[in-house]
Each structure stands twice: as structure tokens, then as C-alpha cells.
Amino acid sequence: MRTVDGDGPGPSRIAAAGDCPPTPDELAATLRAVRAGQLDRMPERPGSCLLVVETRDRTVVLGDRAGVWPVFYRTDLDGGVWWSNAATPLAALSGPPIPELRALAARAALPDVVLDPHAGLFPQVARVPPGMALLCERGSARLVRTGTATRTHAEHLTLPEGARLLRTRLTEAVDRRVRSTPLRSADLSGGLDSTTLAHLSARAGRTHAVTYTDEWLRNDDLPYATAAADEMPGAVHHVVTGDRSTLHYTGLGPEHLAVPVSDAPSPSVVLWAMKAKALGAMAAYGSRGHFVGTGGDTVLTASGVLTDALRAGRRRQAAAAARAAARVTHTSAWGLWRVARSKAALTLTVEAGHLADRLRGPVASADTAHRGTGGTDAAWLPVHAAADWMPRPARDLLADHVTDTCRSREQPNRLAPWRDAHGLARVGDDVAQYAHLAASLGMPLWAPYLDDEVVAVCFGVPPEERHVPGAYKPLLTRAMRGVVADPVLDRRTKGTFGGPVYAGLAEHADALTELLGTGSRLARLGLVDPTPVAAVLRRAAPGLPLPLGSVHNLVAIEVWLRQLETQSRSTWWKENRSRALGPAPHRARRP
């Protein structure tokens, strides 16, 4: 944590907690803006961190844009305002933390959408949305705008301008972290995002680069990673080879969950055995910080461009985009046009009504449970197959929640920025939970693609320039030409983990069926019918297609619910006396 005292009239100070905090001068500039009441004019913040500003009579708390360092709070307890960068300890202040059914149902069926940006998983704990700050004064709390949300989607950069800025900002993001420790490591998958970070780190000094492989992986990641490592004089390349003990879904037996605790359901628990082996190896070499390329897919690309062109009446641009996409995907341009046109006709409210009608309609049979209610035609609200695995009361509850929240929020007029914002929130939460797991190994995680300034640059380039059919991540490839090896920048393939996933499903089918069976917490809460879930899992052994994302997500929620039963106030909290600045709300922090 880094702290700076104010130099104006009256006592004040600012503190930053995170993996890449601002410099003292940058903190001082932010402090001056807050003291002047100009939160909407705060300077851009490098890195990814949580800021706390204290003056004599108020406290201001700000998280980052992606939610890697979120801010949660509650005001229903005696003694003012309680806030934290995790929701579970706040919920545990008044007894065993019990999640809200509507929020869990949405998490199961609509994990790619944040229906209510002000709410979390617990009914008594609120969340500060991106672009806002928590202002605490005289024992009460309110939210104030910071202006960062507007700047995040100010599409004012051309692709060449964005590439130049991205090169500068991403290099600085890596260099700041490199300066914090002489011993560091990085994922080196052979893909563009992680390899770029490994290159930048190795340029600044010795970096342990790790590539995971096993007998079930059927891709060309390892050759590309090896070739990339040869182009990094400062890199020490390590290949970690997995076996049956590192397959997906390992350690998730209902009687013994061999995964660390996270603050919210974490997709990383499904592949934690694999992650733990790689991170453990890096920790053994002395790494004190690990670069991951997570977030690159979200901020460097875009979707919904064709639909937005049709919504805006730019038919010529839409036709060109459809033809280009059809050539790349080897599909019909007319088919792509037809789907995009149907999406363009939908507003958020109308689509929410259609989804609610489908949820209130007939429940799918176990024989068709793997197909899903679906959403290839969904624009705003892509729904997972898990919606079809819900009993009738849960589907009705979710239908009401969808219509209520979508009717009350501001209606978006462009699809691409909507997907950008929701994708950023999803991946930011994934990294936040992954960091909780990695902390059990003593390994800080660094995800520079989710830094505030990097996000601002990427989203400053219009979606139609970030997404060009046939050009893979043009913003990053242009930014890193001459820095990262050409074979990496020119790679057009992307490794997948389908082999280890299906092997893990087959290996642990019985344990997963029991985990999500009649004794599951999801079933007890009335959110899942175990019969269609078991039918879906039976398809895994012969390698039949099934909605992997839905299974993955449900397992993560079930694991979290079981772990939540062991959580209490004493698990999370210890009291800390801070230097007094005058009357202030109660404050506490996680150990």
C-alpha cells in the first residue's frame, strides 16, 4: 500500500492498494482533485488499484474500471458505513453470509451480463458501479460520478493513434510492475496476448516464462511458445507438463473441495489443478509476481459491429462487414446479414420481454437439455443453457428479475459498447477471483490489459477498427510490431483446452454428478433440477457436444456455495486502528 499526505489546508491523505499503484506525484494530483470536489476531472490513473482519500470530514473510495479492485459497501449496520474490496466479509458482519436467489439465478443463466451494476450477490451489500466513487460523510454514503465511465467509451482515437498509445501504456504497465520486484514470471502460451507481456517483461530483465502442456492438448501452442522464448534474451522458459492430477475438474469432489476460497464464484476453480501446478512452479523459482494475458480478448477486439451498422442505417458499411465476415467464417453473407438485422430490430427492453416469455414457457426435457434456450439470436442478453435446467419457480423468478432490471436502466442504442462494458466487468471479476486463489500460493497476479489507462486506449478506438474480419487483433499487432517477434504477431491459430476439459469431465463424471445432484446447494435452493444436469454430464464420456460454459459456470457456483457455509466474520476480519483525521466512518480491512 502507498500513502501520500495532503499539503493543503486541513488534514488529508490518499492511499492506494493494488498490484500497480500510482506514483506519489500521481496520488498527490488525485488528492488535489478530490479536495477540490472535482471527481469528474480526476486525472487518468495508471495501473489497477483501489484508492482511498480521507479528509477531516469525508472518505472517498474508488475502485478500478474493470473491477479487479471493486468496492462494496453496506449502510444498514449501526456505526456508519462499512466498505471493502470483497463482498463476503461485509455480508458476514451480520451472521452467516446468505446470497440472494435472484442474483444467483442471473449468475447461473446470464453470467455474461451484469443486470444490476449496483448490486452484488448478497442482498444487504451494494456495489459501486464503474465510473463512480463511494463518498462517506457524517455516517452516511452516496455515490458520485468520477467521469471515467464517459472517458472509457470516448471513441476519439484512430487505429494508428490507438496503437501508438497502446504501445506506450502497455509497456509502462509492465515496466511499473517489473520495478516492484526483481523476481517475476509470466504465462507464455504462444498466443498473442500473454506472449506480448512476456516479451515486454523479458526486455526489462530476467523473466521466468511458463508454458503448460499435457497429452490431451491438441494444439500448436508449445511450438509457438518455444519459438517466442528463443526471441527473448531475458526469458527463462519452463515447460510444465500436466497429467491426470491436473485435468479440469480435479479436486472438486463434494466431500473434499481441494481449491482455495474466493469472494465470488470463480471459473478458475475448474482448472485450478492446472493453474496451481504452473503457478507453484513459478513460486518455487522465486517469482513474486506473475503476468497473465487475461483481458486481452475483451479490450482488444469487439463484437456487434455489423448489428450497430444496421441499427444506424449504414447499410453499405454493414454489407461490406457481412461479406468480409462470411469470407473468414466460410458462411453465407446473407445469413450473417439476416441474423444481424433481427438483432438490430431489438431494444434491450423488448429482448428482455422475449427472454422472460421463453423462461415462463415450457421447460426443456432432459433429452434436449444440452441444447439450451439459446441465444444465437440474442443481442443484449445472451442466455446460457443452464436456464433450461432450472425448475419452474426459479425460471419465473429470473424472468421477473430480467424484466424489472432492464426496464429500469438506461436503454443502450449501440450493441458493441454494451458488450465491451459487460465483457470488461465479467473478465475483471474473473481476475479478481483468480487473484484470491493465487494468493493461497503467495503469488500476486498481474493483468495489465485491465489497467485503467490500457482500457481507456483500447476502448478509445472505435469497435469497427478493433474488429476487422480476417485481421487478428489489429490494434495489438500494430502496436507491437518491432517489439514482439513477427511469428507471434502473424499467428492466426489459437490454442484451446477442449481435450483436457472433456478428459476431466470423463475422469470426474461421478464426482460432478454428485456435486450437482440432489444434495447440491443449487438444488436445495431450487435453482437447478439435477435430472437434466445429469443427462448433460452423461454426454461427456463419449465426447458428445455439450454446453461446456454452462457446466463450467454451474460447478463454480456450487463450489462457492459449499465454501460459503464455512465463512464467518472471524474468517475475514481483524480490527485496525488508523491515524485519526477527525470523525470518520468505521473502517476495516481484510487480513
Side-chain angles (χ1 to χ4, degrees):
M1 178 176 289
R2 182 170 292 162
T3 304
V4 169
D5 291 324
D7 55 3
S12 62
R13 61 182 171 178
I14 182 171
D19 59 88
C20 185
T23 65
D25 287 345
E26 291 163 344
L27 285 175
T30 299
L31 178 57
R32 286 193 294 271
V34 173
R35 285 177 59 92
Q38 298 176 333
L39 270 71
D40 57 338
R41 299 182 183 179
M42 288 174 55
E44 288 285 356
R45 286 178 287 152
S48 175
C49 65
L50 180 145
L51 293 179
V52 185
V53 181
E54 290 183 331
T55 63
R56 180 182 298 279
D57 57 356
R58 64 174 51 179
T59 298
V60 179
V61 190
L62 305 90
D64 65 313
R65 287 173 171 168
V68 176
W69 289 89
V71 179
F72 299 94
Y73 67 101
R74 61 184 299 182
T75 59
D76 60 325
L77 299 172
D78 292 337
V81 181
W82 291 79
W83 63 264
S84 172
N85 69 306
T88 307
L90 289 176
L93 283 171
S94 53
I98 301 174
E100 186 189 35
L101 285 183
R102 292 184 311 168
L104 277 181
R107 188 86 174 209
L110 295 155
D112 302 321
V113 179
V114 181
L115 287 178
D116 184 356
H118 292 82
L121 289 170
F122 302 101
Q124 68 272 54
V125 179
R127 179 168 186 160
V128 178
M132 303 198 79
L134 178 68
L135 175 61
C136 309
E137 55 185 347
R138 292 183 291 278
S140 63
R142 61 187 175 93
L143 300 181
V144 293
R145 290 195 174 276
T146 64
T148 57
T150 302
R151 290 199 298 267
T152 297
H153 283 292
E155 296 163 9
H156 60 288
L157 299 173
T158 65
L159 183 66
E161 292 170 338
R164 287 194 295 271
L165 265 177
L166 178 60
R167 181 169 178 162
T168 299
R169 297 281 172 82
L170 197 58
T171 301
E172 181 184 5
V174 172
D175 286 347
R176 282 179 181 246
R177 291 168 169 90
V178 164
R179 290 195 293 267
S180 69
T181 175
L183 299 170
R184 60 194 175 277
S185 56
D187 283 347
L188 182 59
S189 70
L192 179 57
D193 301 344
S194 66
T195 306
T196 294
L197 299 180
H199 262 281
L200 293 175
S201 179
R203 285 203 322 170
R206 193 166 183 260
T207 299
H208 292 283
V210 60
T211 305
Y212 175 88
T213 189
D214 60 38
E215 63 180 281
W216 298 276
L217 281 170
R218 298 290 186 265
N219 58 45
D220 52 357
D221 278 357
L222 183 56
Y224 270 98
T226 302
D230 291 341
E231 300 292 328
M232 302 181 203
V236 180
H237 190 206
H238 305 274
V239 177
V240 171
T241 302
D243 52 29
R244 289 193 175 277
S245 69
T246 58
L247 285 171
H248 284 53
Y249 302 99
T250 296
L252 303 182
E255 301 304 321
H256 178 62
L257 295 175
V259 292
V261 173
S262 56
D263 183 51
S266 173
S268 296
V269 300
V270 171
L271 58 162
W272 177 243
M274 180 191 77
K275 295 288 190 183
K277 185 163 186 174
L279 289 176
M282 296 301 96
Y285 282 110
S287 174
R288 294 297 177 266
H290 187 80
F291 286 106
V292 295
T294 311
D297 286 341
T298 301
V299 301
L300 295 168
T301 60
S303 64
V305 172
L306 174 55
T307 299
D308 280 343
L310 286 170
R311 286 177 65 85
R314 299 193 299 269
R315 296 174 64 87
R316 183 173 298 178
Q317 178 186 343
R323 288 193 296 268
R327 284 194 298 270
V328 173
T329 58
H330 305 290
T331 55
S332 162
W334 170 242
L336 294 174
W337 176 283
R338 188 171 59 249
V339 171
R341 187 175 60 184
S342 67
K343 293 180 180 180
L346 293 173
T347 64
L348 174 61
T349 302
V350 169
E351 185 171 317
H354 291 171
L355 175 56
D357 290 342
R358 289 200 298 271
L359 290 169
R360 295 188 181 105
V363 179
S365 68
D367 293 336
T368 60
H370 63 282
R371 297 177 186 171
T373 297
T376 55
D377 59 340
W380 313 98
L381 302 169
V383 61
H384 278 215
D388 281 337
W389 309 339
M390 291 180 170
R392 166 60 56 204
R395 289 166 64 91
D396 290 343
L397 180 72
L398 180 59
D400 291 342
H401 186 41
V402 167
T403 53
D404 290 345
T405 54
C406 292
R407 189 184 298 119
S408 63
R409 68 185 300 159
E410 182 179 351
Q411 297 299 296
N413 57 13
R414 294 174 60 206
L415 181 58
W418 166 273
R419 290 185 173 175
D420 281 346
H422 288 264
L424 183 66
R426 175 187 54 78
V427 75
D429 183 64
D430 288 353
V431 169
Q433 306 317 318
Y434 184 18
H436 279 290
L437 304 184
S440 68
L441 301 174
M443 180 66 79
L445 283 185
W446 296 335
Y449 290 110
L450 299 180
D451 283 7
D452 282 10
E453 287 189 335
V454 174
V455 172
V457 169
C458 292
F459 286 172
V461 177
E464 59 270 19
E465 294 194 52
R466 281 184 281 130
H467 171 76
V468 179
Y472 185 65
K473 297 183 179 174
L475 181 59
L476 186 61
T477 55
R478 185 161 187 158
M480 292 298 154
R481 187 70 68 181
V483 176
V484 176
D486 286 346
V488 174
L489 297 177
D490 296 333
R491 183 184 179 186
R492 292 296 176 265
T493 59
K494 183 177 178 65
T496 64
F497 283 85
V501 172
Y502 271 95
L505 283 168
E507 179 82 6
H508 303 291
D510 291 342
L512 292 175
T513 301
E514 184 179 355
L515 182 77
L516 298 175
T518 55
S520 71
R521 305 319 183 253
L522 284 165
R524 292 180 185 177
L525 291 170
L527 293 176
V528 165
D529 179 354
T531 302
V533 176
V536 167
L537 291 175
R538 284 196 295 271
R539 297 175 60 87
L544 296 174
L546 69 155
L548 292 174
S550 291
V551 174
H552 200 114
N553 187 45
L554 275 194
V555 169
I557 296 173
E558 177 64 25
V559 168
W560 180 71
L561 286 173
R562 289 174 183 256
Q563 292 178 326
L564 200 61
E565 295 173 351
T566 67
Q567 307 303 300
S568 66
R569 176 171 178 166
S570 61
T571 304
W572 296 91
W573 290 95
K574 67 178 180 180
E575 297 295 331
N576 286 272
R577 296 286 182 181
S578 59
R579 178 162 52 90
L581 290 173
H586 283 277
R587 287 177 296 278
R589 65 178 177 87
R590 291 183 60 198

